[in-house]
Amino acid sequence: MKKEINKNELKNNAVFHCIVLSAVFLLTVLAVTRLRYAYGSTLDWCSQHYVFPDYFRNLFYETGELFPGFAPHIGAGENIYYFSYYGLFSPAVMLSYLLPYVDMKEYIQISSIAEMLISINLFYVFISRKFRSSTAFAVSFLFMISPPLIFNSHRHIMFVNYMPFLIAALISADLFIEKNIKTPLILFTSLTVYTSWFFSIPSVLAIITYSIYSYLRQNRSGIKAFLSAGMRFALCMITSVMTAGILLLPSLKAVLSGRKGAGAGFSLSALLPFSVPSVICLSPYAFGLSCFTGLSVVFAVTLKKNKAGKFLGTVLAALIVFPVFVLLLNGGMYADGKVLIPFIPLSLILTAQLYEEIQKEKTDIKRQIFILLICVLLSFLFYNPKYDIKKYLSTAVIGTDTLISCIFLYVYIIKQKKVFLVLSMMFTTLISFTAGNSYDNLISKNMLEYNNSRITDDMLDVISSEENVVRSSVAVRRTETVNMIYSSEYYSSYVYSSLRNQYYSDFYFDMIENENEYRNNALITRSSNILFNIFMGSKYVVSKKPKMETGYVQVMKDNDLYLHKNDYVLPVGRSSDMLISRRDFDKLSSPERMEALVKCIVTEDEVKSSFKSTCREYDGLKIHENEHIRFSDGKYIIKSDREFSTSVKLDDRISGDRILLIFMDAENLSDTRDARIRINQSKNTITNPLWKYYNGNTEFSFVITANGQDDISELNMTFSDGEYSVSNIKAYTIDYPYDVKLTGEFIFDKELTSGDIIAGSIDCSEDGYFMITVPYDEGFRITVDGRMQEYSITSGAFIGFPLTRGHHVICAEYHAPWRKAGITFSAVGLMILVTVAVTDFISLSRRATRRKRSSV
């Protein structure tokens, strides 16, 4: 009876603790949003976190394909696995497919809150199986307030949205170790991977680490038994990964082909032990836990009898002390501590262990404090923040955290009052949690609604009325609306994603010389480069300005928005006999290449060049020295503590039917500030060289048109604060390409063109070359008049092939590389999972039968 009462008391305590934890979390959400803001950050949340899931869902409704391969509307047409990071096959996102009338921006907020709520309660269940209920409650509260969790649930949701499945997998690992039940372990590990493939590697590593810990904690011994359990466990992990093959393999291929090295890279000194203290400090992009957790790791490593704790502590210590492991978990791109977030539940096991040991007075904590202080001092000695104020702050934070935690712990040892022990464990984490969630700028509900309805229904009706497929763009709040697809008739040349077609990215920045005004190269937003917009067939643009680049005319005004149309843009698919070989193209100057791209098709074959340039060098641009600008050794040195502007009158006016092209070399002389220059509507940025996403924009280019004026007589130049230089300034003019010669226009079959299929016809007046401005990818299967057609990279980034005179029917079907192999792996994995589930069911049934017989 007493045992039953204790069970009831434990159950009641658990329910009460979970209710309290849930209530505190929901109150935190209320405090963060204050009923005025969406549960989403102004940083990336609008442009990526709910927009991509919304596109996935709408594409499913349009095509009926649950596992699509191609995203025709974004980035001029991309392998959809470039965007799989944003929840392509996430269970939470796919659940929204059943809720067509729930707006995705609302759904993602609700699902983010629900995922955190489930994570907190599951963690309590997980930790309460090992420690006293009061300890489980305290550590679960610490889990909830760890800066990475709630903070990233409204900022970078992919950093934490896998957490419910990860914790469920950890609980399932216990079931596997204790009862040899495999199905939940395979299932929840697989769901963790499906939710976030980027965090799947650290998550699986965390599951493996915990499973070894759990095995050792059972006090099992013998290498034979360990190897036997290890083989069965390996089968579970392999099956989980195989089951997610349809996501992992095509995504891996996308990573290999769709991302360059990260920014400025890293120095070898950054890989020295103790060189990155911010990995464990109170950061939302790392462990995010206090010094007390670091102390618990030291305590676990120094244990002699507890093999399980010693093993877990050693693994966590290695991750904290040696940045090379963090670098490897980031795919070799940078030593960013965000990949350690999946290890938070494991680190809190050791925190709970130390918390109870101190209360039992079974340990002399002074030795561990001394070791921790030595480690912190070593990290300060090895760490070189190179004048980065944020890194200085992270160093100061970890020092302050260590001091405060040790003071509270010392007071507890003297006074023996539990409140000081709790404060030692939680105080600095709570402060960091409050500060982090306070400083993140959430998007207001009004602005979220405004961004989401940037294009009105009347404007969409105008775009949809086009007989052929055309591209459109939004020139208002471009970073928020860059990935928004407003209807199945809305096609965009722009994309903001960590991964994207690299041929297209190189074309955008390097070949046709678009300005880069952002801090990294991931943003391909609506450009003011009229040559690019003509080339890509960007016929419509929505703006707040009544006048846009030359060629665009206003066709509609709706409140504060204008719809502009340019009838001189090129068709998305076209044929031409105006050709130039890539070898001859590369011999041209930058302005000549930009003009040649619009007027000709650049082929990899040797052809006789048909290109004649209208480019003329322009000498009428002069930048005058002032208090912020001085000329020295062939360079203009700009040094200012504030942004400033200047007007530059041109010596010779440039007529409205000419385009002005300006080029200059840029060098950032500061390690702490970015440098920006705007000329009229075009702006370029070079980031400080220590920024981890360094954009490498050392060659500024500006494409200037008269924008509805008769001519260009003056330039408005704005310079950012900072210290930087520009040199080798050159200017050119070319004719506006009103009369680009084509031999045919590709007419899309709008009924057949959907999802992975592009179909249509073309009438060619001459032999020549066909090109469609869809980025080149090896996954297309193209037929011309029913016969297979080989294709190649054309004009540096696009699909093209020779085409003879006459009428032709063209069909291109996309098959994402490695997707077929991924489907095979998933099918095999599912078959193994079903087999394991049946085996588990039979085993459990037999155990239940034996228990019944024994009770009789």
Side-chain angles (χ1 to χ4, degrees):
M1 175 67 80
K2 185 176 180 181
K3 186 175 181 181
E4 189 64 33
I5 292 173
N6 288 338
K7 282 186 176 181
N8 288 333
E9 287 179 353
L10 288 173
K11 184 177 180 181
N12 291 336
N13 282 340
V15 171
F16 175 74
H17 288 159
C18 287
I19 290 174
V20 172
L21 289 167
S22 300
V24 172
F25 167 68
L26 293 175
L27 287 173
T28 301
V29 172
L30 184 62
V32 168
T33 59
R34 301 190 292 282
L35 300 180
R36 294 163 45 200
Y37 298 94
Y39 195 70
S41 173
T42 55
L43 178 68
D44 294 347
W45 194 86
C46 273
S47 57
Q48 294 180 328
H49 298 174
Y50 86 83
V51 175
F52 276 119
D54 189 51
Y55 178 66
F56 299 152
R57 182 171 69 172
N58 288 332
L59 192 63
F60 167 72
Y61 292 156
E62 178 189 342
T63 66
E65 290 285 338
L66 196 59
F67 303 107
F70 192 61
H73 303 85
I74 302 180
E78 302 258 351
N79 178 348
I80 204 167
Y81 286 93
Y82 287 139
F83 316 132
S84 61
Y85 176 55
Y86 304 101
L88 178 60
F89 299 145
S90 165
V93 171
M94 298 189 84
L95 179 63
S96 72
Y97 295 5
L98 302 175
L99 306 168
Y101 300 110
V102 179
D103 197 303
M104 186 59 75
K105 64 180 182 292
E106 305 296 339
Y107 179 85
I108 291 298
Q109 293 178 72
I110 294 169
S111 64
S112 294
I113 293 170
E115 284 161 354
M116 270 305 304
L117 199 59
I118 294 169
S119 297
I120 293 165
N121 285 278
L122 275 178
F123 181 79
Y124 177 86
V125 173
F126 169 68
I127 204 74
S128 65
R129 298 176 78 246
K130 301 167 185 59
F131 301 97
R132 294 178 307 192
S133 61
S134 59
T135 302
F137 176 73
V139 175
S140 297
F141 189 84
L142 185 57
F143 172 81
M144 180 181 69
I145 65 170
S146 60
L149 295 182
I150 293 181
F151 176 85
N152 282 306
S153 68
H154 55 72
R155 189 175 178 91
H156 296 297
I157 61 177
M158 299 83 65
F159 289 12
V160 295
N161 61 354
Y162 56 87
M163 195 60 73
F165 298 119
L166 173 59
I167 297 173
L170 297 177
I171 295 172
S172 301
D174 283 331
L175 288 175
F176 170 79
I177 298 297
E178 295 166 7
K179 300 180 180 180
N180 196 30
I181 299 174
K182 308 177 191 70
T183 306
L185 178 60
I186 296 172
L187 177 63
F188 289 118
T189 302
S190 180
L191 291 174
T192 302
V193 177
Y194 270 110
T195 303
S196 181
W197 62 256
F198 181 87
F199 285 88
S200 64
I201 295 176
S203 293
V204 169
L205 183 58
I207 294 168
I208 293 171
T209 301
Y210 175 74
S211 298
I212 297 173
Y213 163 82
S214 182
Y215 182 88
L216 295 174
R217 191 167 174 265
Q218 299 294 322
N219 292 318
R220 300 187 181 186
S221 59
I223 188 68
K224 187 176 180 180
F226 178 78
L227 290 175
S228 175
M231 291 293 289
R232 286 181 279 112
F233 179 81
L235 174 64
C236 294
M237 292 296 100
I238 292 171
T239 303
S240 299
V241 172
M242 289 181 67
T243 304
I246 191 173
L247 172 68
L248 288 178
L249 285 181
S251 296
L252 175 60
K253 176 60 176 175
V255 170
L256 294 175
S257 61
R259 184 166 190 167
K260 290 183 176 179
F266 54 88
S267 62
L268 291 178
S269 62
L271 300 183
L272 293 173
F274 303 104
S275 62
V276 190
S278 61
V279 162
I280 59 168
C281 77
L282 300 164
S283 165
Y285 303 111
F287 271 137
L289 298 168
S290 71
C291 167
F292 191 92
T293 298
L295 185 62
S296 69
V297 171
V298 173
F299 172 74
V301 171
T302 57
L303 288 174
K304 294 181 179 179
K305 296 182 179 180
N306 189 335
K307 292 187 296 183
K310 192 178 187 69
F311 166 78
L312 183 54
T314 302
V315 171
L316 294 177
L319 292 172
I320 293 169
V321 172
F322 299 102
V324 66
F325 294 118
V326 177
L327 177 70
L328 291 173
L329 290 175
N330 277 288
M333 292 182 292
Y334 36 68
D336 196 319
K338 66 187 179 186
V339 290
L340 297 181
I341 294 174
F343 292 90
I344 289 177
L346 274 59
S347 65
L348 288 175
I349 293 173
L350 301 184
T351 302
Q353 178 179 279
L354 180 61
Y355 179 73
E356 288 198 347
E357 289 295 320
I358 291 174
Q359 292 181 79
K360 294 174 184 175
E361 298 182 357
K362 289 187 176 182
T363 181
D364 183 2
I365 201 65
K366 295 176 184 177
R367 182 165 66 101
Q368 282 79 18
I369 292 176
F370 177 76
I371 295 173
L372 179 66
L373 290 174
I374 294 296
C375 292
V376 171
L377 288 173
L378 284 172
S379 70
F380 290 165
L381 290 174
F382 281 95
Y383 191 44
N384 180 16
K386 291 186 178 179
Y387 311 108
D388 187 330
I389 187 64
K390 291 183 178 180
K391 293 181 178 178
Y392 272 123
L393 285 174
S394 70
T395 308
V397 164
I398 194 171
T400 304
D401 172 37
T402 303
L403 181 63
I404 293 174
S405 295
C406 289
I407 288 174
F408 278 126
L409 190 56
Y410 179 76
V411 173
Y412 169 77
I413 294 172
I414 300 299
K415 299 290 187 180
Q416 288 296 304
K417 290 188 176 180
K418 190 175 179 180
V419 64
F420 292 108
L421 179 58
V422 173
L423 287 172
S424 175
M425 183 170 66
M426 293 189 184
F427 181 77
T428 49
T429 305
L430 184 59
I431 296 299
S432 181
F433 161 83
T434 305
N437 285 282
S438 299
Y439 96 77
D440 186 30
N441 293 319
L442 301 183
I443 186 167
S444 68
K445 290 183 177 180
N446 290 338
M447 185 56 67
L448 179 61
E449 196 66 39
Y450 182 59
N451 283 343
N452 198 51
S453 59
R454 182 67 64 197
I455 294 182
T456 65
D457 290 339
D458 289 339
M459 291 179 176
L460 283 173
D461 287 341
V462 172
I463 295 170
S464 300
S465 66
E466 289 282 336
E467 292 184 5
N468 207 6
V469 168
V470 299
R471 293 196 174 108
S472 308
S473 62
V474 176
V476 186
R477 301 186 71 89
R478 289 167 298 143
T479 57
E480 282 96 352
T481 58
V482 57
N483 291 322
M484 285 187 178
I485 303 302
Y486 299 92
S487 76
S488 60
E489 297 283 345
Y490 182 89
Y491 293 84
S492 168
S493 303
Y494 308 103
V495 62
Y496 174 29
S497 172
S498 301
L499 297 174
R500 69 274 182 204
N501 187 292
Q502 204 56 56
Y503 293 112
Y504 185 56
S505 181
D506 291 343
F507 173 86
Y508 179 91
F509 288 113
D510 301 331
M511 287 190 70
I512 206 161
E513 301 276 3
N514 282 295
E515 71 275 18
N516 184 3
E517 60 182 285
Y518 302 108
R519 302 198 74 215
N520 60 48
N521 293 331
L523 272 157
I524 296 180
T525 65
R526 201 272 167 180
S527 170
S528 63
N529 182 343
I530 187 63
L531 297 174
F532 173 76
N533 291 321
I534 290 173
F535 179 92
M536 295 301 299
S538 295
K539 193 167 188 175
Y540 291 96
V541 58
V542 177
S543 173
K544 277 193 170 184
K545 298 178 181 179
K547 294 181 180 180
M548 295 298 291
E549 298 89 25
T550 299
Y552 284 96
V553 295
Q554 184 189 137
V555 294
M556 179 183 291
K557 183 179 185 299
D558 194 332
N559 294 322
D560 62 337
L561 297 178
Y562 299 88
L563 180 65
H564 304 270
K565 178 182 179 183
N566 188 344
D567 286 321
Y568 300 107
V569 301
L570 297 174
V572 173
R574 64 255 191 183
S575 64
S576 176
D577 60 357
M578 297 288 290
L579 308 176
I580 183 172
S581 69
R582 182 60 188 258
R583 187 175 67 173
D584 290 338
F585 175 83
D586 289 339
K587 294 176 182 177
L588 301 176
S589 64
S590 290
E592 290 173 333
R593 286 198 297 266
M594 294 167 71
E595 185 179 19
L597 284 168
V598 175
K599 291 188 173 181
C600 302
I601 292 178
V602 184
T603 75
E604 298 299 316
D605 302 328
E606 288 299 322
V607 295
K608 184 178 179 180
S609 175
S610 308
F611 173 65
K612 291 182 180 180
S613 178
T614 65
C615 178
R616 295 196 294 267
E617 191 164 359
Y618 181 78
D619 296 324
L621 174 61
K622 300 289 189 299
I623 298 178
H624 300 288
E625 295 183 76
N626 58 34
E627 60 179 320
H628 304 297
I629 304 174
R630 63 182 176 84
F631 188 76
S632 176
D633 296 328
K635 296 182 178 181
Y636 288 97
I637 308 297
I638 297 97
K639 187 175 182 179
S640 177
D641 58 1
R642 60 179 176 81
E643 181 180 280
F644 66 96
S645 299
T646 183
S647 294
V648 177
K649 291 190 177 297
L650 300 180
D651 292 348
D652 301 306
R653 292 173 178 265
I654 300 171
S655 65
D657 59 359
R658 299 280 289 178
I659 300 171
L660 175 64
L661 310 176
I662 302 172
F663 304 90
M664 61 182 71
D665 296 334
E667 181 182 5
N668 197 340
L669 305 176
S670 169
D671 284 339
T672 60
R673 299 180 181 180
D674 300 342
R676 297 178 175 86
I677 297 177
R678 178 190 290 275
I679 302 179
N680 288 13
Q681 73 274 19
S682 182
K683 182 171 73 172
N684 274 281
T685 296
I686 179 171
T687 52
N688 79 72
L690 297 180
W691 172 234
K692 68 180 178 180
Y693 302 120
Y694 174 64
N695 67 2
N697 187 27
T698 58
E699 298 177 3
F700 286 4
S701 56
F702 305 86
V703 180
I704 311 297
T705 66
N707 286 31
Q709 305 299 317
D710 293 333
D711 54 30
I712 307 171
S713 60
E714 185 179 46
L715 300 178
N716 296 312
M717 301 185 70
T718 302
F719 299 85
S720 70
D721 61 340
E723 185 174 4
Y724 47 98
S725 70
V726 294
S727 60
N728 196 27
I729 301 175
K730 294 182 179 180
Y732 306 86
T733 65
I734 62 172
D735 287 346
Y736 192 97
Y738 290 112
D739 56 348
V740 176
K741 181 185 175 184
L742 299 176
T743 59
E745 177 180 354
F746 182 67
I747 306 300
F748 286 80
D749 185 325
K750 288 191 174 184
E751 290 187 4
L752 294 179
T753 298
S754 178
D756 298 348
I757 297 175
I758 300 170
S761 62
I762 188 170
D763 289 302
C764 299
S765 60
E766 301 289 343
D767 292 349
Y769 231 82
F770 172 81
M771 179 177 71
I772 185 168
T773 51
V774 171
Y776 175 88
D777 192 292
E778 64 187 48
F780 284 98
R781 180 182 179 274
I782 298 177
T783 60
V784 177
D785 301 326
R787 293 186 294 272
M788 288 294 299
Q789 173 67 55
E790 293 185 359
Y791 61 98
S792 61
I793 301 173
T794 306
S795 292
F798 304 97
I799 294 170
F801 46 84
L803 199 60
T804 59
R805 179 180 178 179
H807 178 79
H808 301 285
V809 176
I810 300 173
C811 181
E813 186 171 358
Y814 187 74
H815 301 271
W818 297 10
R819 181 170 175 264
K820 186 176 291 186
I823 292 173
T824 302
F825 270 82
S826 289
V828 173
L830 283 171
M831 285 190 290
I832 296 174
L833 175 58
V834 170
T835 303
V836 170
V838 171
T839 303
D840 279 346
F841 178 78
I842 293 172
S843 177
L844 289 172
S845 298
R846 287 174 178 174
R847 290 179 194 175
T849 302
R850 284 196 296 267
R851 282 196 300 270
K852 286 181 180 179
R853 288 175 179 174
S854 61
S855 63
V856 175

